[in-house]
Amino acid sequence: MAAELRETWVETAAGGLRALEAGDGPAVVLLHGSGTRGGPLPGPADLWRPLAGRLSGEHRVVALDLPGVGGSAADEPRRLSSAGAIEAVGEVLTKLGLGDAHLVAHDEAGLAALEATRSDPRIVSCTLIAPAAIIPAGDRQMNLALINRPKPHLARRSLVWTARRLVGDELCLDADLFDLLEREANSPHSRVVMEMRAGARAQIELTEARALTALYARVRDEGVTVPVAIIWGVRDPLSSFERAMLLHTLLSGGACPPSIHAMARCGHLPHLEAPAACAAIIRGQVRAGVPSPSHVVGEALA
Amino acid sequence: MVLVYGGNFGPPEFGGGDGANQWDSCFELLSASSRVIVYDKPGMGWTEAPKRDADYSMAFVVSHLISLLEALDCGPVGLVGHSRGGYIATRATLLRQDLVRSLTVINSGTLSPGVGTNAVALADVAHQGDQRAAIRWSLETYVYSPTSVDTSWVDTNIVLLDAPGHLEAVERIEAGNLLLDRFYPELARDKRETLTWLAEGRLQRPTQIVWGRDDRTAPVGLGRELFEGLAGHEPRTRFDVIDACGHFPYREHPEWFVSCLTSFLEEVARDGG
């Protein structure tokens, strides 16, 4: 289902932010992964189209290009960190007049999203999709899933190779998607940002490691304070369902019980692989305003 | 016997700052029946810091232990490693079985398959108040009963934070981002190889796994998994677990630990090693 998304620009002191927007109703803000640390695939807001299309009937959906990605500017390395992402979300909520908002974050954007649930009272729920990058990893265990990615990594062949290994079912991959990934990976803006990220790599890594540590301490001691749902594809090659359950345990114990939803056929991109099931869970998050108990969602929803 | 304690070089925020003093709870008890050697690892306690950036790796710490065993020249030893030291002792044994008669591994998330939970249990240790409060908080998080954290343990750890080797290591690590850039990635690679070697049955020495059941940082399930993997290859493998005990069995239950270790070493001696 294709969403009729319109492009919106939000001006900030750190440069313009690009967002795609559709629908009316409670605000749902979608945050892509692969922004902060330069993940395996480029992550512009356009990747949310299949999910946004299923939500825009009842919600005002805003898919944001985080700073440095797609059309959004990043004037300094700090803007590429999760702190920069939190700032950007705050600016978009204010300038678009969204009021209270439900965050949906893919992979590493989960760090910014969870932190925003504490720092920004306008965030009323948080859905984490395939949050592999924020699962406690002990001594940073090796993951070999993408160890032999064909070079150059920005070439279409390499992007296709990577996308195929990330998903549980290749049916969601098509030429339009590969066009989008290739265009984004090779845009002049992406190349400038990539150089900036490379120059500040050590600093960004240390900042993000500390932000993750601070998040672990907070949720360990306080749990989470808004409804949080984890959506996990059992075939995600970047971590395991067992590890995802550990993240769920870590987030548990506070006033607001979080839920986890496992999808048997999905890999690392459930919002592309099973957008209907993801939309159903997000609608539940929005409607209830209170978390649902942990359970496993079968394929019936997909 | 040679005892290898846990932790690594670097700032306390990343697990740095320990020393051989950790063994003081059982040192005398053990030395009643054996020659006992404890030592400070490179860039920790009173041992010098590694001089080259390339040596801020676990591989270097392992080779340092092997050099120590060679220099001691006392025949194959009973090697005992706690936490990160359990990995170091095991890796050294795999590389140089001629230097080791038996291996004892205590609460080692670093060695076990699976993932330890330090990152969560000890998150934000640097922000738990002043240096003394942070050290005490960290040790109390590791143990089952906070009363087992005595003042002298905390005092000695504070003194070690001013040791020249520790300070030099911290300075080099911070200047070169050596933990994130080098130590962790190389440890992840070597651990993978080590687990493969263990699964292949290459650890052909009597092995004892000792575990405190209530460890928040290295849950007892990790120890069980480690034991079951080893027991499939080496019949002289045992697993000793104690209740009401966190990460430091030899501090929380020193007499139990000493009796456990001593009985294992006697078994090995009876068996002819």
Side-chain angles (χ1 to χ4, degrees):
Chain A
M1 194 186 306
E4 288 182 20
L5 294 165
R6 58 186 181 278
E7 206 167 61
T8 306
W9 291 85
V10 173
E11 289 309 318
T12 76
L17 295 171
R18 170 181 173 266
L20 301 173
E21 194 182 347
D24 282 309
V28 176
V29 177
L30 309 173
L31 306 176
H32 58 79
S34 293
T36 312
R37 277 165 279 181
L41 286 177
D46 309 69
L47 289 172
W48 291 110
R49 280 182 190 278
L51 177 64
R54 287 169 169 83
L55 289 170
S56 57
E58 303 166 51
H59 304 95
R60 185 173 176 191
V61 184
V62 177
L64 176 64
D65 276 344
L66 287 168
V69 177
S72 291
D75 59 342
E76 54 166 346
R78 187 187 164 280
R79 195 73 169 163
L80 301 174
S81 69
S82 51
I86 294 169
E87 274 172 14
V89 169
E91 288 157 353
V92 166
L93 293 187
T94 302
K95 301 218 167 162
L96 294 182
L98 295 180
D100 288 346
H102 302 268
L103 290 186
V104 178
H106 181 234
D107 199 2
E108 69 191 46
L111 171 55
L114 281 173
E115 196 48 42
T117 64
R118 184 181 66 108
S119 61
D120 193 329
R122 294 172 292 181
I123 309 302
V124 287
S125 84
C126 175
T127 303
L128 305 171
I129 299 183
I134 66 168
I135 295 178
D139 287 325
R140 293 151 216 251
Q141 268 194 324
M142 283 179 86
N143 181 293
L144 303 182
L146 304 176
I147 198 166
N148 288 316
R149 278 165 76 191
K151 289 180 179 170
H153 292 162
L154 302 183
R156 186 184 182 96
R157 177 171 158 262
S158 184
L159 296 167
V160 170
W161 184 96
T162 303
R164 282 188 168 150
R165 272 157 184 80
L166 287 179
V167 296
D169 186 333
E170 290 186 23
L171 278 177
C172 68
L173 305 177
D174 59 22
D176 286 348
L177 178 69
F178 297 138
D179 287 346
L180 171 66
L181 295 173
E182 186 180 14
R183 208 165 45 239
E184 168 64 15
N186 294 282
S187 78
H189 178 52
S190 294
R191 286 179 181 272
V192 169
V193 170
M194 208 181 308
E195 272 177 36
M196 178 162 75
R197 184 185 290 125
R201 186 189 52 79
Q203 179 203 335
I204 292 174
E205 271 184 15
L206 189 59
T207 308
E208 292 305 282
R210 286 189 169 139
L212 206 47
T213 297
L215 174 72
Y216 291 159
R218 178 169 70 78
V219 296
R220 175 196 66 209
D221 296 337
E222 301 164 15
V224 290
T225 48
V226 302
V228 172
I230 300 172
I231 296 177
W232 187 261
V234 171
R235 297 186 187 180
D236 191 330
L238 299 186
S239 190
S240 67
F241 182 41
E242 185 191 0
R243 307 291 312 150
M245 290 292 291
L246 280 180
L247 177 66
H248 178 247
T249 303
L250 170 61
L251 299 175
S252 301
C256 217
S259 60
I260 182 163
H261 311 266
M263 298 185 184
R265 286 193 181 172
C266 287
H268 189 61
L269 305 172
H271 50 306
L272 291 175
E273 300 175 73
C278 291
I281 292 162
I282 294 163
R283 274 195 294 273
Q285 287 274 94
V286 174
R287 248 196 327 266
V290 292
S292 54
S294 300
H295 64 284
V296 172
V297 174
E299 288 166 37
L301 273 172
Chain B
M1 71 179 80
V2 175
L3 311 183
V4 190
Y5 62 91
N8 49 257
F9 36 50
E13 176 190 0
F14 289 102
D18 298 316
N21 62 298
Q22 287 188 17
W23 299 108
D24 60 15
S25 57
C26 63
F27 188 81
E28 276 185 35
L29 286 171
L30 285 172
S31 52
S33 57
S34 301
R35 179 183 175 199
V36 185
I37 292 155
V38 301
Y39 73 105
D40 286 331
K41 294 184 289 183
M44 301 181 78
W46 305 104
T47 296
E48 290 178 10
K51 298 299 173 210
R52 305 181 312 157
D53 283 0
D55 292 338
Y56 284 81
S57 67
M58 202 63 115
F60 180 77
V61 182
V62 171
S63 69
H64 177 263
L65 168 61
I66 290 173
S67 302
L68 172 74
L69 296 178
E70 286 174 336
L72 286 171
D73 194 22
C74 58
V77 301
L79 198 51
V80 180
H82 171 234
S83 195
R84 287 231 190 279
Y87 168 86
I88 294 162
T90 304
R91 182 85 181 174
T93 305
L94 285 163
L95 292 169
R96 289 294 303 275
Q97 311 233 353
D98 58 306
L99 297 171
V100 181
R101 179 182 297 272
S102 69
L103 174 68
T104 299
V105 174
I106 311 160
N107 285 61
S108 180
T110 309
L111 177 66
S112 305
V115 178
T117 44
N118 290 50
V120 173
L122 297 171
D124 236 11
V125 58
H127 298 102
Q128 298 295 328
D130 62 18
Q131 203 174 58
R132 172 174 288 277
I135 286 177
R136 179 166 278 283
W137 178 85
S138 157
L139 296 176
E140 286 180 357
T141 304
Y142 270 121
V143 298
Y144 173 78
S145 166
T147 55
S148 65
V149 180
D150 53 62
T151 309
S152 72
W153 190 9
V154 178
D155 287 345
T156 311
N157 279 10
I158 286 179
V159 170
L160 293 182
L161 291 179
D162 284 329
H166 167 75
L167 292 173
E168 186 186 336
V170 169
E171 198 178 315
R172 270 181 176 270
I173 284 167
E174 287 181 343
N177 198 35
L178 299 179
L179 286 181
L180 294 180
D181 263 9
R182 186 177 298 279
F183 180 80
Y184 284 112
E186 290 187 13
L187 172 59
R189 189 197 60 204
D190 289 356
K191 174 172 176 173
R192 197 173 184 84
E193 185 180 64
T194 302
L195 291 176
T196 304
W197 288 351
L198 294 179
E200 289 170 347
R202 295 194 198 207
L203 183 66
Q204 296 169 0
R205 288 291 177 275
T207 302
Q208 176 185 36
I209 313 290
V210 179
W211 221 273
R213 204 184 65 86
D214 306 289
D215 190 341
R216 295 180 189 91
T217 65
V220 67
L222 294 185
R224 185 189 47 75
E225 212 178 324
L226 179 63
F227 165 70
E228 286 177 349
L230 296 177
H233 295 286
E234 172 56 62
R236 294 168 303 173
T237 304
R238 61 184 255 191
F239 185 32
D240 304 286
V241 181
I242 179 85
D243 185 27
C245 183
H247 193 57
F248 291 91
Y250 55 92
R251 293 201 69 95
E252 293 194 76
H253 298 276
E255 284 167 6
W256 174 83
F257 171 75
V258 167
S259 130
C260 214
L261 175 57
T262 308
S263 72
F264 171 66
L265 295 177
E266 282 169 2
E267 209 177 299
V268 171
R270 255 199 318 276
D271 217 24

